[in-house]
């Protein structure tokens, strides 16, 4: 698809993706890769990204949040393993067998239902236990482990948990990793307990991007990166710690750029207001570009009067409130701007750039949210 007829589009760099996968594989060594394509592949496009990942044989699993995402990648042609990290409704559990999709279990009712379906179908199911180690989100408390073991024992087709996992609460947000160490101790103790009950899983996995980058001892058999594969650091603290450890800062390259076009150019006199709420007033004669992108598309309203876009490699400040489907930028200082000119909302243009991290900083958010909220209606083009 060409962008000639598009008003707003997202470009995905395949070269950057290949580079990032190589970096991840280099960091993880023998551990297998389970990469996250939840949240529409962090806004990059679920089917576009899973299609590209098919070519990379090092990737053993795709991880998703929901059954619907798992089904979409399976029907989209992904032949290797799929793991659902989030909850699955009871009426969809049977379809996990049909599509060969592995659930993460944190709740007894679900495991019992899977057990009785496996009896009915006489089919095995690879399940992963999610262990509660201190995040207090989804997870099985240590004192509940025996109950889960009893359920496994009572369903011959479930046999044993295939995997056991946990998720760290506080690796990204700090340079002090005591809490992660504490969670890791809890995890190791619970695995020992499973082992003593003859239920040791085959595949242990705990590491998201930050853990994978910073802590070798969280790698175990499988690692579960998300954001790093898309070329973004989990946080400033993660890159700072990595550089302190003597690491390289060119490990990851962002895949995504977001672009639009100028759909109206106008001259506005001094002392005129721009947009809803009259929050901006021109101080001089101003050339305004109207852009067909708004908060519906994922350009946060918190960026009103607070960001810039790039036109021909030059910065154009955003003026007034971001509307639902439109926004305005000041192009007074940029020469030769024409109707239909390409505008960069995220990415680089000429020698300048605007990053998801900058937009996050200006809107009190994080790069994960900026990326994952990019509207799924925006066409994704692989370049
Ligand atoms: C999203 C998610 C990941 C990936 O996290 P990143 O910080 O994007 O690498 C890993 N594990 C679980 C359980 C997740 O929900």
């Amino acid at each position: 698809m060409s962008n000639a007829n598009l008003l707003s589009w997202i470009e995905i760099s395949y070269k950057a993706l290949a580079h990032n996968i190589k970096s991840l594989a280099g960091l993880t060594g023998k551990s297998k890769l389970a990469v996250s394509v939840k949240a529409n592949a962090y806004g990059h496009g679920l089917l576009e990204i899973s299609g590209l990942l098919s070519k990379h044989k090092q990737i053993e699993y795709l991880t998703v949040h929901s059954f619907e995402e798992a089904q979409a990648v399976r029907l989209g042609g992904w032949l290797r393993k799929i793991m659902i990290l989030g909850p699955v409704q009871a009426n969809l559990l049977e379809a996990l067998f049909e599509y060969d999709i592995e659930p993460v279990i944190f709740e007894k009712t679900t495991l019992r239902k899977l057990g009785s379906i496996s009896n009915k179908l006489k089919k095995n199911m690879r399940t992963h236990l999610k262990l509660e180690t201190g995040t207090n989100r989804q997870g099985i408390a240590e004192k509940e482990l025996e109950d889960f073991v009893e359920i496994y024992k009572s369903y011959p087709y479930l046999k044993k948990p295939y995997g056991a996992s946990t998720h760290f609460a506080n690796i990204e947000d700090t340079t002090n990793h005591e809490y992660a160490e504490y969670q890791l101790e809890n995890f190791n103790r619970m695995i020992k307990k499973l082992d003593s009950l003859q239920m040791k899983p085959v595949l242990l996995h705990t590491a998201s991007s930050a853990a994978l980058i910073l802590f070798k001892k969280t790698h175990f058999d499988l690692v579960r990166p998300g954001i790093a594969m898309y070329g973004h650091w989990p946080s400033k603290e993660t890159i700072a710690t990595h550089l302190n450890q003597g690491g390289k800062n060119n490990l990851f390259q962002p895949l995504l750029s977001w672009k639009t076009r100028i759909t109206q150019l106008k001259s506005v006199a001094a002392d005129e207001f721009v947009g809803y709420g009259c929050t901006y007033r021109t101080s001089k004669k101003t050339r305004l570009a109207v852009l067909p992108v708004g908060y519906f598309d994922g350009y946060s309203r918190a960026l009103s009067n607070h960001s810039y876009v790039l036109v021909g490699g030059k910065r154009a400040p955003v003026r007034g409130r971001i509307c639902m489907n439109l926004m305005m930028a000041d192009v007074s200082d940029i020469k030769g701007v024409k109707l239909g000119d390409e505008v960069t909302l995220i990415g680089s243009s000429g020698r300048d750039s605007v990053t998801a991290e900058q937009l996050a900083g200006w809107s009190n958010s994080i790069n994960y949210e900026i990326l994952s909220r990019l509207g799924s209606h925006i066409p994704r083009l692989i370049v």
Side-chain angles (χ1 to χ4, degrees), residues 121-154:
L121 302 175
K122 303 197 189 325
K123 260 180 142 175
N124 295 324
M125 162 64 57
R126 287 190 299 270
T127 54
H128 301 255
L129 292 177
K130 180 69 169 280
L131 305 179
E132 180 53 73
T133 59
T135 300
N136 284 312
R137 198 168 70 173
Q138 300 177 132
I140 299 165
E142 192 161 354
K143 60 178 190 298
E144 297 178 289
L145 269 184
E146 269 119 344
D147 297 348
F148 280 84
V149 165
E150 285 314 308
I151 301 174
Y152 277 104
K153 282 186 180 158
S154 59

PDB file of all heavy atoms in Angstrom, residues 121-154:
ATOM      1  N   LEU A 121     -12.628 -34.154  25.786  1.00  0.00           N
ATOM      2  CA  LEU A 121     -12.008 -34.208  24.456  1.00  0.00           C
ATOM      3  C   LEU A 121     -10.894 -35.248  24.378  1.00  0.00           C
ATOM      4  O   LEU A 121     -10.400 -35.538  23.298  1.00  0.00           O
ATOM      5  CB  LEU A 121     -11.424 -32.842  24.079  1.00  0.00           C
ATOM      6  CG  LEU A 121     -12.365 -31.626  24.049  1.00  0.00           C
ATOM      7  CD1 LEU A 121     -11.569 -30.350  23.782  1.00  0.00           C
ATOM      8  CD2 LEU A 121     -13.426 -31.807  22.962  1.00  0.00           C
ATOM      9  N   LYS A 122     -10.467 -35.759  25.551  1.00  0.00           N
ATOM     10  CA  LYS A 122      -9.302 -36.648  25.650  1.00  0.00           C
ATOM     11  C   LYS A 122      -8.078 -36.007  24.980  1.00  0.00           C
ATOM     12  O   LYS A 122      -7.389 -36.609  24.155  1.00  0.00           O
ATOM     13  CB  LYS A 122      -9.585 -38.021  25.027  1.00  0.00           C
ATOM     14  CG  LYS A 122     -10.782 -38.732  25.641  1.00  0.00           C
ATOM     15  CD  LYS A 122     -10.761 -40.211  25.294  1.00  0.00           C
ATOM     16  CE  LYS A 122     -12.032 -40.945  25.697  1.00  0.00           C
ATOM     17  NZ  LYS A 122     -12.667 -40.492  26.941  1.00  0.00           N
ATOM     18  N   LYS A 123      -7.856 -34.750  25.331  1.00  0.00           N
ATOM     19  CA  LYS A 123      -6.762 -33.980  24.734  1.00  0.00           C
ATOM     20  C   LYS A 123      -5.929 -33.331  25.828  1.00  0.00           C
ATOM     21  O   LYS A 123      -6.478 -32.821  26.807  1.00  0.00           O
ATOM     22  CB  LYS A 123      -7.345 -32.847  23.872  1.00  0.00           C
ATOM     23  CG  LYS A 123      -7.375 -33.139  22.383  1.00  0.00           C
ATOM     24  CD  LYS A 123      -7.976 -31.956  21.670  1.00  0.00           C
ATOM     25  CE  LYS A 123      -7.301 -31.676  20.333  1.00  0.00           C
ATOM     26  NZ  LYS A 123      -7.991 -30.594  19.612  1.00  0.00           N
ATOM     27  N   ASN A 124      -4.627 -33.305  25.644  1.00  0.00           N
ATOM     28  CA  ASN A 124      -3.745 -32.621  26.591  1.00  0.00           C
ATOM     29  C   ASN A 124      -3.827 -31.107  26.393  1.00  0.00           C
ATOM     30  O   ASN A 124      -4.214 -30.639  25.328  1.00  0.00           O
ATOM     31  CB  ASN A 124      -2.297 -33.055  26.390  1.00  0.00           C
ATOM     32  CG  ASN A 124      -2.109 -34.521  26.711  1.00  0.00           C
ATOM     33  OD1 ASN A 124      -2.739 -35.046  27.632  1.00  0.00           O
ATOM     34  ND2 ASN A 124      -1.270 -35.188  25.944  1.00  0.00           N
ATOM     35  N   MET A 125      -3.386 -30.406  27.422  1.00  0.00           N
ATOM     36  CA  MET A 125      -3.365 -28.945  27.343  1.00  0.00           C
ATOM     37  C   MET A 125      -2.123 -28.464  28.073  1.00  0.00           C
ATOM     38  O   MET A 125      -1.866 -28.889  29.200  1.00  0.00           O
ATOM     39  CB  MET A 125      -4.643 -28.411  27.999  1.00  0.00           C
ATOM     40  CG  MET A 125      -4.660 -26.966  28.413  1.00  0.00           C
ATOM     41  SD  MET A 125      -4.535 -25.731  27.095  1.00  0.00           S
ATOM     42  CE  MET A 125      -5.901 -26.097  26.032  1.00  0.00           C
ATOM     43  N   ARG A 126      -1.339 -27.617  27.387  1.00  0.00           N
ATOM     44  CA  ARG A 126      -0.181 -27.022  28.067  1.00  0.00           C
ATOM     45  C   ARG A 126      -0.635 -25.767  28.801  1.00  0.00           C
ATOM     46  O   ARG A 126      -1.106 -24.817  28.157  1.00  0.00           O
ATOM     47  CB  ARG A 126       0.911 -26.676  27.053  1.00  0.00           C
ATOM     48  CG  ARG A 126       1.651 -27.889  26.500  1.00  0.00           C
ATOM     49  CD  ARG A 126       2.867 -27.475  25.686  1.00  0.00           C
ATOM     50  NE  ARG A 126       2.454 -26.665  24.556  1.00  0.00           N
ATOM     51  CZ  ARG A 126       2.145 -27.149  23.348  1.00  0.00           C
ATOM     52  NH1 ARG A 126       2.201 -28.439  23.102  1.00  0.00           N
ATOM     53  NH2 ARG A 126       1.774 -26.335  22.379  1.00  0.00           N
ATOM     54  N   THR A 127      -0.527 -25.792  30.129  1.00  0.00           N
ATOM     55  CA  THR A 127      -0.934 -24.636  30.937  1.00  0.00           C
ATOM     56  C   THR A 127       0.291 -24.047  31.649  1.00  0.00           C
ATOM     57  O   THR A 127       1.280 -24.745  31.891  1.00  0.00           O
ATOM     58  CB  THR A 127      -1.949 -25.056  32.010  1.00  0.00           C
ATOM     59  OG1 THR A 127      -1.388 -26.135  32.758  1.00  0.00           O
ATOM     60  CG2 THR A 127      -3.266 -25.501  31.382  1.00  0.00           C
ATOM     61  N   HIS A 128       0.197 -22.778  31.960  1.00  0.00           N
ATOM     62  CA  HIS A 128       1.267 -22.080  32.686  1.00  0.00           C
ATOM     63  C   HIS A 128       0.692 -21.509  33.974  1.00  0.00           C
ATOM     64  O   HIS A 128      -0.349 -20.857  33.932  1.00  0.00           O
ATOM     65  CB  HIS A 128       1.813 -20.923  31.844  1.00  0.00           C
ATOM     66  CG  HIS A 128       2.371 -21.354  30.524  1.00  0.00           C
ATOM     67  ND1 HIS A 128       3.717 -21.418  30.271  1.00  0.00           N
ATOM     68  CD2 HIS A 128       1.749 -21.774  29.387  1.00  0.00           C
ATOM     69  CE1 HIS A 128       3.912 -21.848  29.030  1.00  0.00           C
ATOM     70  NE2 HIS A 128       2.728 -22.067  28.463  1.00  0.00           N
ATOM     71  N   LEU A 129       1.348 -21.748  35.091  1.00  0.00           N
ATOM     72  CA  LEU A 129       0.894 -21.156  36.349  1.00  0.00           C
ATOM     73  C   LEU A 129       1.491 -19.764  36.500  1.00  0.00           C
ATOM     74  O   LEU A 129       2.666 -19.549  36.212  1.00  0.00           O
ATOM     75  CB  LEU A 129       1.335 -22.008  37.538  1.00  0.00           C
ATOM     76  CG  LEU A 129       0.677 -23.380  37.663  1.00  0.00           C
ATOM     77  CD1 LEU A 129       1.273 -24.122  38.860  1.00  0.00           C
ATOM     78  CD2 LEU A 129      -0.836 -23.253  37.804  1.00  0.00           C
ATOM     79  N   LYS A 130       0.665 -18.837  36.954  1.00  0.00           N
ATOM     80  CA  LYS A 130       1.168 -17.493  37.259  1.00  0.00           C
ATOM     81  C   LYS A 130       1.300 -17.391  38.769  1.00  0.00           C
ATOM     82  O   LYS A 130       0.313 -17.469  39.493  1.00  0.00           O
ATOM     83  CB  LYS A 130       0.174 -16.452  36.736  1.00  0.00           C
ATOM     84  CG  LYS A 130       0.564 -15.013  36.985  1.00  0.00           C
ATOM     85  CD  LYS A 130       1.775 -14.629  36.148  1.00  0.00           C
ATOM     86  CE  LYS A 130       2.046 -13.139  36.168  1.00  0.00           C
ATOM     87  NZ  LYS A 130       1.188 -12.392  35.257  1.00  0.00           N
ATOM     88  N   LEU A 131       2.535 -17.253  39.244  1.00  0.00           N
ATOM     89  CA  LEU A 131       2.784 -17.264  40.681  1.00  0.00           C
ATOM     90  C   LEU A 131       2.820 -15.844  41.243  1.00  0.00           C
ATOM     91  O   LEU A 131       3.453 -14.949  40.671  1.00  0.00           O
ATOM     92  CB  LEU A 131       4.094 -18.000  40.976  1.00  0.00           C
ATOM     93  CG  LEU A 131       4.169 -19.435  40.412  1.00  0.00           C
ATOM     94  CD1 LEU A 131       5.517 -20.063  40.751  1.00  0.00           C
ATOM     95  CD2 LEU A 131       3.020 -20.303  40.925  1.00  0.00           C
ATOM     96  N   GLU A 132       2.143 -15.659  42.360  1.00  0.00           N
ATOM     97  CA  GLU A 132       2.106 -14.363  43.040  1.00  0.00           C
ATOM     98  C   GLU A 132       3.385 -14.208  43.858  1.00  0.00           C
ATOM     99  O   GLU A 132       3.599 -14.943  44.821  1.00  0.00           O
ATOM    100  CB  GLU A 132       0.878 -14.313  43.962  1.00  0.00           C
ATOM    101  CG  GLU A 132       0.731 -13.020  44.717  1.00  0.00           C
ATOM    102  CD  GLU A 132       0.767 -11.827  43.768  1.00  0.00           C
ATOM    103  OE1 GLU A 132      -0.230 -11.631  43.041  1.00  0.00           O
ATOM    104  OE2 GLU A 132       1.784 -11.128  43.759  1.00  0.00           O
ATOM    105  N   THR A 133       4.243 -13.270  43.463  1.00  0.00           N
ATOM    106  CA  THR A 133       5.506 -13.098  44.188  1.00  0.00           C
ATOM    107  C   THR A 133       5.639 -11.705  44.791  1.00  0.00           C
ATOM    108  O   THR A 133       6.660 -11.371  45.384  1.00  0.00           O
ATOM    109  CB  THR A 133       6.707 -13.353  43.252  1.00  0.00           C
ATOM    110  OG1 THR A 133       6.611 -12.428  42.156  1.00  0.00           O
ATOM    111  CG2 THR A 133       6.728 -14.773  42.723  1.00  0.00           C
ATOM    112  N   GLY A 134       4.622 -10.852  44.596  1.00  0.00           N
ATOM    113  CA  GLY A 134       4.701  -9.514  45.188  1.00  0.00           C
ATOM    114  C   GLY A 134       4.160  -8.399  44.325  1.00  0.00           C
ATOM    115  O   GLY A 134       4.220  -7.231  44.717  1.00  0.00           O
ATOM    116  N   THR A 135       3.636  -8.732  43.143  1.00  0.00           N
ATOM    117  CA  THR A 135       3.033  -7.681  42.310  1.00  0.00           C
ATOM    118  C   THR A 135       1.566  -7.487  42.693  1.00  0.00           C
ATOM    119  O   THR A 135       1.004  -6.407  42.524  1.00  0.00           O
ATOM    120  CB  THR A 135       3.187  -8.038  40.823  1.00  0.00           C
ATOM    121  OG1 THR A 135       4.579  -8.158  40.534  1.00  0.00           O
ATOM    122  CG2 THR A 135       2.609  -6.976  39.905  1.00  0.00           C
ATOM    123  N   ASN A 136       0.977  -8.556  43.250  1.00  0.00           N
ATOM    124  CA  ASN A 136      -0.438  -8.506  43.627  1.00  0.00           C
ATOM    125  C   ASN A 136      -1.348  -8.042  42.506  1.00  0.00           C
ATOM    126  O   ASN A 136      -2.200  -7.178  42.667  1.00  0.00           O
ATOM    127  CB  ASN A 136      -0.642  -7.703  44.910  1.00  0.00           C
ATOM    128  CG  ASN A 136      -0.211  -8.520  46.106  1.00  0.00           C
ATOM    129  OD1 ASN A 136      -0.599  -9.681  46.234  1.00  0.00           O
ATOM    130  ND2 ASN A 136       0.621  -7.954  46.957  1.00  0.00           N
ATOM    131  N   ARG A 137      -1.113  -8.666  41.360  1.00  0.00           N
ATOM    132  CA  ARG A 137      -2.021  -8.525  40.234  1.00  0.00           C
ATOM    133  C   ARG A 137      -2.568  -9.940  40.052  1.00  0.00           C
ATOM    134  O   ARG A 137      -2.988 -10.550  41.011  1.00  0.00           O
ATOM    135  CB  ARG A 137      -1.235  -7.998  39.024  1.00  0.00           C
ATOM    136  CG  ARG A 137      -2.109  -7.418  37.964  1.00  0.00           C
ATOM    137  CD  ARG A 137      -1.316  -6.636  36.914  1.00  0.00           C
ATOM    138  NE  ARG A 137      -0.502  -7.486  36.051  1.00  0.00           N
ATOM    139  CZ  ARG A 137       0.162  -7.029  34.988  1.00  0.00           C
ATOM    140  NH1 ARG A 137       0.130  -5.757  34.684  1.00  0.00           N
ATOM    141  NH2 ARG A 137       0.889  -7.842  34.237  1.00  0.00           N
ATOM    142  N   GLN A 138      -2.555 -10.510  38.856  1.00  0.00           N
ATOM    143  CA  GLN A 138      -2.980 -11.899  38.685  1.00  0.00           C
ATOM    144  C   GLN A 138      -1.918 -12.806  39.311  1.00  0.00           C
ATOM    145  O   GLN A 138      -0.730 -12.584  39.085  1.00  0.00           O
ATOM    146  CB  GLN A 138      -3.064 -12.248  37.207  1.00  0.00           C
ATOM    147  CG  GLN A 138      -4.032 -11.426  36.417  1.00  0.00           C
ATOM    148  CD  GLN A 138      -4.017 -11.765  34.932  1.00  0.00           C
ATOM    149  OE1 GLN A 138      -5.044 -11.948  34.343  1.00  0.00           O
ATOM    150  NE2 GLN A 138      -2.848 -11.849  34.337  1.00  0.00           N
ATOM    151  N   GLY A 139      -2.307 -13.824  40.030  1.00  0.00           N
ATOM    152  CA  GLY A 139      -1.279 -14.717  40.551  1.00  0.00           C
ATOM    153  C   GLY A 139      -1.800 -15.643  41.630  1.00  0.00           C
ATOM    154  O   GLY A 139      -2.784 -15.345  42.305  1.00  0.00           O
ATOM    155  N   ILE A 140      -1.090 -16.776  41.799  1.00  0.00           N
ATOM    156  CA  ILE A 140      -1.453 -17.801  42.775  1.00  0.00           C
ATOM    157  C   ILE A 140      -0.581 -17.615  44.012  1.00  0.00           C
ATOM    158  O   ILE A 140       0.650 -17.616  43.907  1.00  0.00           O
ATOM    159  CB  ILE A 140      -1.202 -19.196  42.178  1.00  0.00           C
ATOM    160  CG1 ILE A 140      -2.069 -19.392  40.928  1.00  0.00           C
ATOM    161  CG2 ILE A 140      -1.432 -20.287  43.208  1.00  0.00           C
ATOM    162  CD1 ILE A 140      -1.635 -20.570  40.078  1.00  0.00           C
ATOM    163  N   ALA A 141      -1.227 -17.472  45.173  1.00  0.00           N
ATOM    164  CA  ALA A 141      -0.468 -17.298  46.407  1.00  0.00           C
ATOM    165  C   ALA A 141       0.201 -18.615  46.791  1.00  0.00           C
ATOM    166  O   ALA A 141      -0.279 -19.700  46.445  1.00  0.00           O
ATOM    167  CB  ALA A 141      -1.391 -16.834  47.519  1.00  0.00           C
ATOM    168  N   GLU A 142       1.314 -18.504  47.513  1.00  0.00           N
ATOM    169  CA  GLU A 142       2.074 -19.691  47.900  1.00  0.00           C
ATOM    170  C   GLU A 142       1.191 -20.707  48.640  1.00  0.00           C
ATOM    171  O   GLU A 142       1.263 -21.900  48.385  1.00  0.00           O
ATOM    172  CB  GLU A 142       3.254 -19.251  48.777  1.00  0.00           C
ATOM    173  CG  GLU A 142       4.256 -20.347  49.003  1.00  0.00           C
ATOM    174  CD  GLU A 142       5.602 -19.794  49.462  1.00  0.00           C
ATOM    175  OE1 GLU A 142       5.784 -18.557  49.492  1.00  0.00           O
ATOM    176  OE2 GLU A 142       6.465 -20.624  49.778  1.00  0.00           O
ATOM    177  N   LYS A 143       0.331 -20.188  49.504  1.00  0.00           N
ATOM    178  CA  LYS A 143      -0.497 -21.106  50.309  1.00  0.00           C
ATOM    179  C   LYS A 143      -1.555 -21.836  49.472  1.00  0.00           C
ATOM    180  O   LYS A 143      -2.134 -22.815  49.928  1.00  0.00           O
ATOM    181  CB  LYS A 143      -1.134 -20.367  51.485  1.00  0.00           C
ATOM    182  CG  LYS A 143      -2.049 -19.218  51.113  1.00  0.00           C
ATOM    183  CD  LYS A 143      -2.659 -18.617  52.386  1.00  0.00           C
ATOM    184  CE  LYS A 143      -3.764 -17.619  52.113  1.00  0.00           C
ATOM    185  NZ  LYS A 143      -3.367 -16.422  51.359  1.00  0.00           N
ATOM    186  N   GLU A 144      -1.787 -21.375  48.259  1.00  0.00           N
ATOM    187  CA  GLU A 144      -2.776 -22.047  47.389  1.00  0.00           C
ATOM    188  C   GLU A 144      -2.147 -23.110  46.491  1.00  0.00           C
ATOM    189  O   GLU A 144      -2.863 -23.824  45.789  1.00  0.00           O
ATOM    190  CB  GLU A 144      -3.425 -21.028  46.449  1.00  0.00           C
ATOM    191  CG  GLU A 144      -4.217 -19.927  47.086  1.00  0.00           C
ATOM    192  CD  GLU A 144      -4.734 -18.981  45.999  1.00  0.00           C
ATOM    193  OE1 GLU A 144      -3.921 -18.243  45.404  1.00  0.00           O
ATOM    194  OE2 GLU A 144      -5.951 -19.005  45.738  1.00  0.00           O
ATOM    195  N   LEU A 145      -0.818 -23.181  46.480  1.00  0.00           N
ATOM    196  CA  LEU A 145      -0.146 -24.055  45.506  1.00  0.00           C
ATOM    197  C   LEU A 145      -0.636 -25.501  45.582  1.00  0.00           C
ATOM    198  O   LEU A 145      -0.895 -26.131  44.552  1.00  0.00           O
ATOM    199  CB  LEU A 145       1.377 -24.036  45.731  1.00  0.00           C
ATOM    200  CG  LEU A 145       2.184 -23.002  44.957  1.00  0.00           C
ATOM    201  CD1 LEU A 145       3.666 -23.212  45.228  1.00  0.00           C
ATOM    202  CD2 LEU A 145       1.902 -23.077  43.459  1.00  0.00           C
ATOM    203  N   GLU A 146      -0.767 -26.017  46.830  1.00  0.00           N
ATOM    204  CA  GLU A 146      -1.197 -27.421  46.986  1.00  0.00           C
ATOM    205  C   GLU A 146      -2.569 -27.676  46.360  1.00  0.00           C
ATOM    206  O   GLU A 146      -2.786 -28.716  45.760  1.00  0.00           O
ATOM    207  CB  GLU A 146      -1.222 -27.831  48.466  1.00  0.00           C
ATOM    208  CG  GLU A 146       0.099 -28.437  48.927  1.00  0.00           C
ATOM    209  CD  GLU A 146       0.737 -27.633  50.041  1.00  0.00           C
ATOM    210  OE1 GLU A 146       0.312 -26.465  50.241  1.00  0.00           O
ATOM    211  OE2 GLU A 146       1.664 -28.164  50.689  1.00  0.00           O
ATOM    212  N   ASP A 147      -3.463 -26.713  46.512  1.00  0.00           N
ATOM    213  CA  ASP A 147      -4.797 -26.869  45.901  1.00  0.00           C
ATOM    214  C   ASP A 147      -4.690 -27.020  44.387  1.00  0.00           C
ATOM    215  O   ASP A 147      -5.372 -27.837  43.775  1.00  0.00           O
ATOM    216  CB  ASP A 147      -5.670 -25.631  46.179  1.00  0.00           C
ATOM    217  CG  ASP A 147      -5.922 -25.437  47.657  1.00  0.00           C
ATOM    218  OD1 ASP A 147      -5.621 -26.366  48.436  1.00  0.00           O
ATOM    219  OD2 ASP A 147      -6.408 -24.347  48.029  1.00  0.00           O
ATOM    220  N   PHE A 148      -3.824 -26.212  43.787  1.00  0.00           N
ATOM    221  CA  PHE A 148      -3.649 -26.304  42.329  1.00  0.00           C
ATOM    222  C   PHE A 148      -3.048 -27.649  41.945  1.00  0.00           C
ATOM    223  O   PHE A 148      -3.465 -28.275  40.974  1.00  0.00           O
ATOM    224  CB  PHE A 148      -2.802 -25.132  41.816  1.00  0.00           C
ATOM    225  CG  PHE A 148      -3.581 -23.856  41.660  1.00  0.00           C
ATOM    226  CD1 PHE A 148      -3.789 -23.018  42.743  1.00  0.00           C
ATOM    227  CD2 PHE A 148      -4.149 -23.515  40.443  1.00  0.00           C
ATOM    228  CE1 PHE A 148      -4.543 -21.851  42.617  1.00  0.00           C
ATOM    229  CE2 PHE A 148      -4.897 -22.353  40.296  1.00  0.00           C
ATOM    230  CZ  PHE A 148      -5.092 -21.520  41.394  1.00  0.00           C
ATOM    231  N   VAL A 149      -2.092 -28.084  42.743  1.00  0.00           N
ATOM    232  CA  VAL A 149      -1.466 -29.381  42.484  1.00  0.00           C
ATOM    233  C   VAL A 149      -2.521 -30.493  42.533  1.00  0.00           C
ATOM    234  O   VAL A 149      -2.548 -31.386  41.674  1.00  0.00           O
ATOM    235  CB  VAL A 149      -0.321 -29.628  43.496  1.00  0.00           C
ATOM    236  CG1 VAL A 149       0.112 -31.088  43.511  1.00  0.00           C
ATOM    237  CG2 VAL A 149       0.863 -28.719  43.175  1.00  0.00           C
ATOM    238  N   GLU A 150      -3.429 -30.414  43.500  1.00  0.00           N
ATOM    239  CA  GLU A 150      -4.501 -31.414  43.609  1.00  0.00           C
ATOM    240  C   GLU A 150      -5.366 -31.424  42.352  1.00  0.00           C
ATOM    241  O   GLU A 150      -5.768 -32.476  41.861  1.00  0.00           O
ATOM    242  CB  GLU A 150      -5.380 -31.146  44.851  1.00  0.00           C
ATOM    243  CG  GLU A 150      -4.728 -31.539  46.169  1.00  0.00           C
ATOM    244  CD  GLU A 150      -4.075 -32.922  46.138  1.00  0.00           C
ATOM    245  OE1 GLU A 150      -4.772 -33.876  45.732  1.00  0.00           O
ATOM    246  OE2 GLU A 150      -2.883 -33.026  46.471  1.00  0.00           O
ATOM    247  N   ILE A 151      -5.667 -30.234  41.834  1.00  0.00           N
ATOM    248  CA  ILE A 151      -6.490 -30.170  40.612  1.00  0.00           C
ATOM    249  C   ILE A 151      -5.750 -30.850  39.452  1.00  0.00           C
ATOM    250  O   ILE A 151      -6.318 -31.673  38.738  1.00  0.00           O
ATOM    251  CB  ILE A 151      -6.870 -28.712  40.258  1.00  0.00           C
ATOM    252  CG1 ILE A 151      -7.639 -28.074  41.421  1.00  0.00           C
ATOM    253  CG2 ILE A 151      -7.719 -28.667  38.977  1.00  0.00           C
ATOM    254  CD1 ILE A 151      -7.939 -26.589  41.233  1.00  0.00           C
ATOM    255  N   TYR A 152      -4.464 -30.534  39.302  1.00  0.00           N
ATOM    256  CA  TYR A 152      -3.689 -31.187  38.227  1.00  0.00           C
ATOM    257  C   TYR A 152      -3.738 -32.708  38.375  1.00  0.00           C
ATOM    258  O   TYR A 152      -3.900 -33.431  37.396  1.00  0.00           O
ATOM    259  CB  TYR A 152      -2.236 -30.706  38.226  1.00  0.00           C
ATOM    260  CG  TYR A 152      -2.040 -29.403  37.485  1.00  0.00           C
ATOM    261  CD1 TYR A 152      -1.856 -28.210  38.173  1.00  0.00           C
ATOM    262  CD2 TYR A 152      -2.044 -29.370  36.091  1.00  0.00           C
ATOM    263  CE1 TYR A 152      -1.686 -27.005  37.493  1.00  0.00           C
ATOM    264  CE2 TYR A 152      -1.885 -28.180  35.403  1.00  0.00           C
ATOM    265  CZ  TYR A 152      -1.699 -27.003  36.107  1.00  0.00           C
ATOM    266  OH  TYR A 152      -1.542 -25.827  35.421  1.00  0.00           O
ATOM    267  N   LYS A 153      -3.597 -33.171  39.627  1.00  0.00           N
ATOM    268  CA  LYS A 153      -3.552 -34.626  39.840  1.00  0.00           C
ATOM    269  C   LYS A 153      -4.874 -35.292  39.477  1.00  0.00           C
ATOM    270  O   LYS A 153      -4.900 -36.457  39.084  1.00  0.00           O
ATOM    271  CB  LYS A 153      -3.223 -34.928  41.312  1.00  0.00           C
ATOM    272  CG  LYS A 153      -1.755 -34.766  41.645  1.00  0.00           C
ATOM    273  CD  LYS A 153      -1.494 -35.209  43.071  1.00  0.00           C
ATOM    274  CE  LYS A 153      -0.032 -35.050  43.444  1.00  0.00           C
ATOM    275  NZ  LYS A 153       0.107 -34.979  44.918  1.00  0.00           N
ATOM    276  N   SER A 154      -5.969 -34.542  39.601  1.00  0.00           N
ATOM    277  CA  SER A 154      -7.269 -35.175  39.365  1.00  0.00           C
ATOM    278  C   SER A 154      -7.695 -35.152  37.894  1.00  0.00           C
ATOM    279  O   SER A 154      -8.730 -35.698  37.548  1.00  0.00           O
ATOM    280  CB  SER A 154      -8.332 -34.547  40.268  1.00  0.00           C
ATOM    281  OG  SER A 154      -8.407 -33.176  40.009  1.00  0.00           O
TER     282      SER A 154
END
